[in-house]
Amino acid sequence: MHVHLLGTGAGGGFPQWNCNCHNCKRLRKGEIKSTPRTQSSITISANGEDWVLFNASPDIRAQIESFPPLQPARAVRDTGICAIVLCDAQIDHTTGLIILREHDKPWDVYCTAAVHEDMTTGYPIFNILGHFRGVNWHEVTTDQTAFTIPKADGLVFTAVPLKSEAPPFSPHRHNTVPGDNVGFRVEDSSSGKNLFYAPGLGVIEDRVLEYMQDADVVLIDGTVWTNDEMSRYGINEKTASEMGHLDQSSKGGIMETLNSLSKPRKILIHINNTNPILDEESDERKVLNDAGIEVSHDGMDIHL
Ligand code: MLT
Ligand code: MN
Ligand code: ZN
C-alpha cells in the first residue's frame, strides 16, 4: 500500500497564522532549517487509484493540489478520494469536509458513534452537509472488528480506541467515551504489512502497545516535545496532556515506548508548531535521529 502524508502539522499548521513562537518566527524569516507543514491528514491506497482520506483538514484544498492522484481525472467532476475516515471530531481533522461540499454524491464517511454525535451537535458539519449532497455515515465500532471499504481494494481497517480528549465543543469534553478518539491499523491484504496510525494519543495503554509492536510502520502523535511546551512559550496555560496528547521526551513519554519497539519503522506526525523537533538542527531532533525515530514532513510517501 501507498501512504501519502498530506499534512504533518498539528492544529494551526506551521507556521500558525497568529504565532510568533521561536519556530514560526524563524520559519517566516528563513532562519530555521525546516519546512512548512499543513494540518493533519494522510491518504492511503492499495491500487494507486482509489484513495482513502484519513481526516479532512482545513488545508485539504491545497493538499489535493499537492498530490495529483487525488485530483479529478475521469469526468468533469471527479476525485481520487473514495471514502473519508475520521480519527476524531477535532477542527483540524474535520473542517475539510466543508471544503469538500461540492462532491457530486454523498461522501462515504467512516467514524465512530461518538464522533458522529459531535458532528451532529457541538460541531454540526454533518447537518450542514445535509444541505448539500449529504453524508453517508458508516459507523466504525470500537470493538476492534476489522472492516473493509468498498472501492478501497486490498485494505483492511481496524479502529483502536485511544485515551485522549474530546474536542472543546464535544458533549464528551472531560468525560470521554470510547470512540472519541481512535487510531487505525491499516493492513495491505496482499503484502500482509500493516500501518498503525494515531495522530492524537494521550495514553499508551497495553492494547495500543500491542498494535504498535505488531506494526510495520507506526505513524504516531508527535504534537509536543514537552508537556508544558505551550505555557513555556507563553502561548497558553494548557498542557499537552489536558489536550489529550502525550509528550515525546518525558519518562513514560512517546519516545520511551518507541524505543522499546524492535519491529516497526517509527515516524512522528501531527507536530505542533512549538515543537523543537521541527528544527532539523536542534538538539531534540538529534536525540530522535540517534534513536531512529523519523519526523514526518508534508509530501512524504511510505510504501509497505
Ligand atoms: C488537538 O489535536 O488537540 C486539536 O486539533 C487542537 C486544535 O483544536 O487545534
Ligand atoms: Mn489536532
Ligand atoms: Zn508557533
Side-chain angles (χ1 to χ4, degrees):
M1 70 177 141
H2 179 176
V3 182
H4 183 80
L5 309 190
L6 292 164
T8 55
F14 177 49
Q16 179 173 313
W17 69 277
N18 65 343
C19 190
N20 206 19
C21 77
H22 192 52
N23 286 340
C24 291
K25 182 168 36 187
R26 286 185 302 149
L27 188 73
R28 291 195 184 94
K29 289 185 173 167
E31 291 172 358
I32 182 174
K33 187 160 183 234
S34 191
T35 51
R37 283 165 171 83
T38 61
Q39 295 169 83
S40 181
S41 177
I42 70 170
T43 188
I44 304 183
S45 177
N47 64 13
E49 200 163 309
D50 301 297
W51 293 82
V52 177
L53 183 70
F54 282 78
N55 301 315
S57 100
D59 299 319
I60 185 65
R61 187 185 166 282
Q63 291 168 342
I64 289 171
E65 291 310 312
S66 76
F67 189 53
L70 300 186
Q71 296 167 10
R74 299 160 293 199
V76 65
R77 286 288 168 95
D78 183 39
T79 176
I81 302 168
C82 65
I84 301 172
V85 176
L86 303 175
C87 291
D88 54 51
Q90 295 276 5
I91 287 173
D92 57 346
H93 285 163
T94 58
T95 303
L97 289 167
I98 294 290
I99 313 295
L100 300 177
R101 67 191 173 284
E102 295 100 345
H103 195 34
D104 59 359
K105 46 185 157 309
W107 277 110
D108 284 302
V109 179
Y110 291 73
C111 68
T112 62
V115 170
H116 181 270
E117 190 184 343
D118 288 355
M119 296 278 89
T120 51
T121 60
Y123 193 32
I125 287 183
F126 286 2
N127 303 355
I128 294 166
L129 289 175
H131 297 281
F132 297 84
R133 290 296 173 96
V135 170
N136 190 13
W137 175 46
H138 303 263
E139 183 175 353
V140 169
T141 58
T142 54
D143 60 3
Q144 297 161 76
T145 322
F147 67 95
T148 55
I149 294 178
K151 287 196 88 183
D153 282 337
L155 297 176
V156 182
F157 308 83
T158 310
V160 183
L162 304 175
K163 272 206 162 46
S164 183
E165 180 53 280
F169 45 79
S170 170
H172 312 138
R173 180 72 166 180
H174 303 318
N175 197 9
T176 58
V177 300
D180 278 324
N181 299 271
V182 293
F184 285 91
R185 178 188 196 274
V186 186
E187 182 181 314
D188 181 306
S189 48
S190 56
S191 71
K193 298 270 174 74
N194 82 86
L195 165 81
F196 182 67
Y197 170 56
L201 181 60
V203 180
I204 302 177
E205 299 168 283
D206 288 349
R207 179 188 60 242
V208 178
L209 182 60
E210 284 169 26
Y211 280 97
M212 290 171 73
Q213 286 166 336
D214 181 54
D216 294 283
V217 176
V218 292
L219 189 54
I220 204 120
D221 191 334
T223 309
V224 293
W225 181 254
T226 49
N227 192 36
D228 65 351
E229 200 166 292
M230 309 276 203
S231 62
R232 194 177 288 202
Y233 288 113
I235 289 169
N236 62 40
E237 287 310 307
K238 269 193 227 159
T239 60
S241 55
E242 282 164 6
M243 297 173 72
H245 298 287
L246 181 58
D247 68 84
Q248 279 123 45
S249 64
S250 71
K251 184 150 178 39
I254 286 195
M255 200 165 46
E256 189 179 296
T257 295
L258 291 179
N259 286 341
S260 76
L261 307 176
S262 49
K263 181 180 170 193
R265 181 175 168 193
K266 306 156 191 177
I267 308 172
L268 297 171
I269 194 164
H270 190 279
I271 303 153
N272 197 54
N273 56 73
T274 51
N275 193 327
I277 65 174
L278 286 169
D279 180 347
E280 293 167 31
E281 295 172 326
S282 65
D283 294 344
E284 293 83 355
R285 183 67 165 263
K286 185 170 183 330
V287 172
L288 292 181
N289 289 345
D290 291 348
I293 299 169
E294 298 170 60
V295 177
S296 64
H297 57 84
D298 287 18
M300 188 170 171
D301 287 297
I302 302 163
H303 294 274
L304 75 168

